[in-house]
Amino acid sequence: MYSHPGNRPRSLKISNFRFPLNALLSGAHRATGLALVISLVAYLTLANFILFVPAVTLENVAACWLTQILHTGFWIALTYHWLSGLRHLCAEHFLQPKTYQLINSKAVSYLLLATWFISSLSITYRVWF
């Protein structure tokens, strides 16, 4: 077994780690990508039911609350994934230190989160009301 040479305490619990904001945003970008793939499978399943099961119609599916949850989740995940992906692309293509620091600053990160939050409220309102 490996013995750590230092005297610092070690803990492997994930709750003890404190990730920077950019790492959390990057992880959320990956999670929303996974949510988009899952919602794509759900939309394809709905399309299969509508096309091949005569009892299921587009009007029945559109009125179902599960479909509204799917629409809400899809559009919220897509909005975040798009905003975060745009930020990632800008950070990768602007290699000058000053521009890179600006894109990765906390102000831009909080602006991304605020934009996504306002968009999420708008999406939720549009889907449900």
Side-chain angles (χ1 to χ4, degrees):
M1 179 168 219
Y2 176 73
S3 176
H4 191 269
N7 291 330
R8 292 177 36 190
R10 291 181 296 153
S11 176
L12 299 179
K13 287 175 42 177
I14 194 73
S15 62
N16 290 342
F17 290 102
R18 299 290 176 241
F19 295 105
L21 181 60
N22 285 337
L24 294 174
L25 294 177
S26 181
H29 179 75
R30 290 173 186 247
T32 56
L34 179 63
L36 289 172
V37 169
I38 291 170
S39 65
L40 173 67
V41 171
Y43 278 125
L44 290 174
T45 304
L46 276 176
N48 189 20
F49 281 142
I50 291 169
L51 290 174
F52 298 115
V53 177
V56 179
T57 63
L58 188 59
E59 292 81 21
N60 293 344
V61 170
C64 182
W65 60 273
L66 285 172
T67 307
Q68 289 180 319
I69 290 174
L70 179 63
H71 291 331
T72 305
F74 170 77
W75 287 107
I76 288 174
L78 183 66
T79 303
Y80 180 84
H81 196 76
W82 186 81
L83 288 170
S84 181
L86 184 65
R87 183 174 167 268
H88 276 289
L89 285 174
C90 288
E92 288 175 6
H93 290 289
F94 291 116
L95 299 176
Q96 294 83 17
K98 218 169 187 152
T99 311
Y100 183 79
Q101 287 175 349
L102 175 68
I103 292 170
N104 283 327
S105 67
K106 282 191 176 188
V108 172
S109 298
Y110 286 128
L111 179 65
L112 179 142
L113 289 173
T115 305
W116 175 68
F117 181 73
I118 292 168
S119 299
S120 296
L121 290 176
S122 174
I123 289 166
T124 304
Y125 179 77
R126 296 280 300 185
V127 170
W128 289 92
F129 301 109

